[in-house]
Amino acid sequence: MGAAPNSVASPRRRRAVPWVFLGLWVVVLALASPFAAKLADVQKDRPVDYLPASADSTEVAEIQDRLPGGEATELVLVYHRDGGLTAADRRLAGAQAAEIAGAHELVSEPRGVPSKDGTTLVYPVASTDPGQDEEKRNALVEDVRDIARGEGGLSVDVGGSGALDTDAGEVYDSLGGPLLYTTAAVVALLLILIYRSPFLWLVPLAVAGVADYFAMAVAYGLNQAFGTSVTGQSAGVMTILVFGAGTDYALLLVSRYREELRRIERPYDAMVAALRGCGPAVLASSGTVAAGLLCLLAADLNSSRGMGPLGTVGVLCALATMLTLLPAVLVLLGRRVFWPLVPAFGSVPKARRGLFAAMGGSAGRRPLTVLAGGAVLLGALALGAFNLPGALKQEDSFTKKPDSVAAMETLAAAYPEQGTQPLTVMTPAARADASLAEIRATRGVDSAARGRTAEGWTEISVLASAPPESAGETATIEALRDGLDGSYVGGASAQQLDLKDTSARDRTIVVPLVLAAVLLILVVLLRSLVAPLLLLAAVIAVWGASLGIAGFVFEPLFGFGGTDPGLGLLSFVFLVALGVDYGIFLMHRMREECLNGAEPGTAALTALRTTGGVIASAGLVLAATFAVLTNMPLVQLVELGFVIAVGVLLDTFLVRTYLVTSASVALGRKVWWPGPLARPRAVGEPRPEPVRVPAP
């Protein structure tokens, strides 16, 4: 659809081009369909799929996978009666443990460990039957749960890392459908309210659905070609980005298309003008998001590194459909798609003082006051980040308590001064005896026992004397890692420790990369250094304030026991990339006004007045799509969705409208330094005539 906006395309071309694009997408979907359906098959949600690539716990998991039977599935049967266990309870527990041992090949014979108060009895159970097969592991856990049942007031829960993994896997497997349907419903509702049309909302929503299906196929291709990690978290975020970013691009394009239809008679020519007008901003904004997400490839955390390519796929697929399929469909449907608010050729929209004109007026009258007040407010909100709870424990990852979490809570209460979650040490077989002796002599170790020996490695199960994921157990893990040469320490608690440490390391590497990549794109696009730095400062302030608001509500209001270690990095990448997205829309229009001869202050207010509505609509849609994650049953997703949704709203209604506009008014031409727009116009220099499109 590449005709110049001031020329008239031939009738044959106007009819043919939209149909060509529509036909191409039919072919693309037909080719992509077999691959899109397979994405769920390659989705992996074992802990090793989220672990840092170079960590000890990852090495342990990979060595276990090579041993006969693969990684052991570790479970604990927790028998509890408030008034104290009876003899019949103990006999029942022993019989059920024996039945499980008879039905499955266990690493060792189950042995009951009673609590000091006599209310609880624990049977640790470890089996290599499932190996690396996730379905077999889940079947083992369910079979053990079917056998281990209480009677007459005796409660029985199955916990341990294997049960926690199974419950988490079931949650991730159930995300796809509800996440997609809820996101689509939220976007549909907002589009109906924004467009006030019974038909128009269907077009961008349907195109976003096509983009999501196409993205699933591309993501599967990346997995097969390059081994890109696909997890429930990354697949869910990809869907959110497709609908959120895709709808944002649609809002901008449709708004400009409606504007051009009032000036240009034929829909084809109006669409060409709209694409030429907003296309550069959309391309630059999507490029910024993609560049920011690709910086996650430098992360050591598997889950973060895999999210980079999948998020990029989502954004680029949304871009491709919104700049090709959406224009084709809109042109084919003609003006009637806007009914009942059809933009008639030659009409002039009602002149009325809108919300953003009023906001711009206040920012224009007292720019420094508004800027200072906003900075103080964001700084005060950011202080709440110091109130964020500590690292999220594995059993605190669910918003609703599954059996595995109930088991771990019972264990923590009944064995407050004892470890209940074994650590796994993989040591070279040649020095297994020496390693076992060193482990038993390590401070904080309660017991240690040899396991399997194969492939040149010996597996040693270690029980710490401190509770799981406590400071004492962390000290024991670190002591084992420092004292054992050539050995690796893993297990559920070690995995959580590695997640926390690696997330901190990733932030120091990925954050500067994101800032550098985004800054470079903005400098090239805006032909300025000051404006890009202004936008980056704004989005960093938004990120800090969003985490601060999270600190005020996560534990006091939501009751979350911890913060996901990856929250800081992921929220930074998304808020910087997506926040700059809106800044590009605003600054691009501001630069366009300056090129047409407007003074910088006037250009800033005009840009806010003309783009404020569509940016606000886009911000609401994007915030709502990420807010869908707050309804998911995993704390990690709830926290990520909350922080990004709050950040987008802050960026849309405070930073973008007030602070960036106020700063632009206060800086004047300096905002475009060192570009040519920073130089004042010479006396007597004619003001450029605004570009106008003659009617056909």
Side-chain angles (χ1 to χ4, degrees):
M1 307 182 72
N6 59 349
S7 66
V8 182
S10 67
R12 180 178 298 178
R13 183 177 183 183
R14 284 196 297 269
R15 289 193 300 268
V17 172
W19 286 109
V20 168
F21 277 107
L22 191 60
L24 284 174
W25 274 106
V26 171
V27 173
V28 167
L29 288 182
L31 295 174
S33 183
F35 305 106
K38 295 180 180 179
L39 183 63
D41 298 335
V42 299
Q43 179 178 312
K44 302 295 183 183
D45 289 299
R46 294 187 307 159
V48 70
D49 299 306
Y50 287 79
L51 289 175
S54 62
D56 265 29
S57 52
T58 308
E59 295 287 349
V60 169
E62 291 177 349
I63 294 172
Q64 285 181 318
D65 285 344
R66 299 197 298 266
L67 297 180
E71 183 180 0
T73 300
E74 296 178 342
L75 306 172
V76 286
L77 314 180
V78 183
Y79 295 84
H80 177 80
R81 186 185 292 273
D82 289 336
L85 295 172
T86 64
D89 293 337
R90 296 186 179 90
R91 287 194 298 271
L92 177 64
Q96 291 180 350
E99 184 180 352
I100 292 169
H104 301 279
E105 183 178 345
L106 304 183
V107 174
S108 60
E109 193 70 21
R111 182 177 62 88
V113 181
S115 64
K116 291 181 180 179
D117 61 7
T119 62
T120 308
L121 180 63
V122 173
Y123 276 88
V125 173
S127 173
T128 57
D129 274 358
Q132 302 177 44
D133 192 303
E134 188 173 349
E135 291 185 5
K136 289 183 179 179
R137 183 196 69 191
N138 296 339
L140 168 67
V141 173
E142 294 305 320
D143 185 57
V144 170
R145 284 174 169 167
D146 288 339
I147 295 173
R149 294 184 177 275
E151 298 176 357
L154 174 69
S155 67
V156 184
D157 295 307
V158 178
S161 59
L164 286 167
D165 293 345
T166 294
D167 290 337
E170 289 178 355
V171 169
Y172 277 117
D173 291 341
S174 67
L175 288 181
L179 184 64
L180 175 62
Y181 305 143
T182 307
T183 303
V186 168
V187 171
L189 177 61
L190 288 174
L191 287 177
I192 292 172
L193 295 175
I194 291 168
Y195 287 140
R196 290 172 290 170
S197 167
F199 307 112
L200 181 57
W201 65 273
L202 281 168
V203 180
L205 185 64
V207 173
V210 170
D212 186 50
Y213 199 66
F214 183 42
M216 292 168 63
V218 177
Y220 176 79
L222 287 179
N223 174 268
Q224 297 300 295
F226 305 104
T228 302
S229 174
V230 180
T231 65
Q233 186 184 49
S234 61
V237 169
M238 183 182 73
T239 294
I240 291 291
L241 281 173
V242 168
F243 278 89
T247 306
D248 282 2
Y249 303 150
L251 286 168
L252 191 68
L253 177 63
V254 172
S255 174
R256 191 64 177 255
Y257 177 50
R258 186 199 297 266
E259 183 181 328
E260 299 297 341
L261 282 173
R262 299 184 186 277
R263 302 191 301 132
I264 302 174
E265 185 175 5
R266 296 185 177 92
Y268 178 92
D269 298 319
M271 180 57 74
V272 170
L275 286 170
R276 287 182 176 270
C278 69
V282 172
L283 286 170
S285 62
S286 61
T288 304
V289 177
L293 291 174
L294 285 177
C295 290
L296 286 172
L297 287 171
D300 191 32
L301 204 63
N302 281 341
S303 55
S304 297
R305 192 170 63 252
M307 190 176 293
L310 260 67
T312 301
V313 164
V315 170
L316 294 183
C317 289
L319 173 72
T321 55
M322 295 304 170
L323 290 187
T324 56
L325 180 58
L326 178 63
V329 175
L330 289 174
V331 169
L332 290 173
L333 292 175
R335 295 175 184 270
R336 59 183 175 273
V337 74
F338 289 96
W339 186 87
L341 303 175
V342 179
F345 172 58
S347 64
V348 178
K350 287 183 179 179
R352 56 183 181 182
R353 183 172 174 79
L355 171 64
F356 291 97
M359 296 172 75
S362 62
R365 287 191 299 272
R366 295 179 295 275
L368 293 178
T369 302
V370 171
L371 190 60
V376 170
L377 175 61
L378 291 176
L381 291 175
L383 293 176
F386 294 104
N387 197 45
L388 284 169
L392 187 69
K393 295 182 179 180
Q394 191 176 15
E395 60 263 29
D396 293 331
S397 298
F398 305 90
T399 57
K400 296 180 180 178
K401 188 189 301 180
D403 287 348
S404 56
V405 173
M408 303 310 287
E409 289 180 350
T410 302
L411 283 177
Y415 304 83
E417 302 299 330
Q418 183 177 342
T420 54
Q421 189 164 268
L423 305 171
T424 301
V425 176
M426 301 303 302
T427 192
R431 65 182 315 273
D433 292 335
S435 294
L436 184 60
E438 292 176 19
I439 291 170
R440 287 172 173 167
T442 301
R443 184 177 181 181
V445 171
D446 183 69
S447 62
R450 292 178 60 153
R452 296 168 290 173
T453 297
E455 301 291 329
W457 294 92
T458 293
E459 183 180 56
I460 300 176
S461 181
V462 181
L463 201 61
S465 57
E469 300 183 48
S470 64
E473 189 193 46
T474 298
T476 302
I477 294 171
E478 292 173 345
L480 288 171
R481 287 176 170 174
D482 292 338
L484 296 174
D485 293 331
S487 302
Y488 301 103
V489 180
S493 296
Q495 291 168 2
Q496 294 300 108
L497 177 62
D498 288 337
L499 286 173
K500 178 183 176 182
D501 292 343
T502 307
S503 295
R505 173 261 176 200
D506 285 348
R507 283 196 297 271
T508 63
I509 293 176
V510 176
V511 166
L513 284 177
V514 172
L515 292 175
V518 171
L519 179 63
L520 180 62
I521 292 175
L522 289 177
V523 168
V524 172
L525 175 71
L526 299 177
R527 314 291 202 277
S528 166
L529 186 59
V530 174
L533 289 174
L534 173 62
L535 292 180
L536 279 183
V539 293
I540 292 172
V542 166
W543 173 65
S546 303
L547 287 179
I549 293 174
F552 290 128
V553 301
F554 275 1
E555 190 171 18
L557 188 61
F558 296 164
F560 292 159
T563 305
D564 178 34
L567 176 65
L569 176 62
L570 293 180
S571 61
F572 178 85
V573 172
F574 283 112
L575 283 177
V576 168
L578 296 171
V580 168
D581 211 20
Y582 297 135
I584 288 174
F585 295 159
L586 181 68
M587 284 294 195
H588 187 267
R589 188 60 179 256
M590 193 185 304
R591 189 171 187 275
E592 188 179 332
E593 294 295 328
C594 288
L595 288 173
N596 282 337
E599 291 298 320
T602 304
L605 300 180
T606 302
L608 177 62
R609 185 180 67 252
T610 54
T611 66
V614 69
I615 289 178
S617 301
L620 283 173
V621 169
L622 190 62
T625 54
F626 273 99
V628 169
L629 291 175
T630 62
N631 196 40
M632 297 296 106
L634 286 172
V635 171
Q636 296 95 319
L637 294 180
V638 174
E639 291 180 342
L640 182 65
F642 178 87
V643 170
I644 295 178
V646 168
V648 170
L649 291 176
L650 278 176
D651 186 83
T652 302
F653 293 102
L654 173 62
V655 175
R656 198 67 50 220
T657 51
Y658 275 117
L659 303 191
V660 172
T661 302
S662 298
S664 300
V665 172
L667 289 170
R669 291 189 178 276
K670 294 177 183 177
V671 78
W672 302 113
W673 184 88
L677 288 177
R679 296 190 294 270
R681 221 175 20 251
V683 178
E685 181 181 347
R687 182 185 297 268
E689 286 295 323
V691 178
R692 300 188 183 279
V693 181

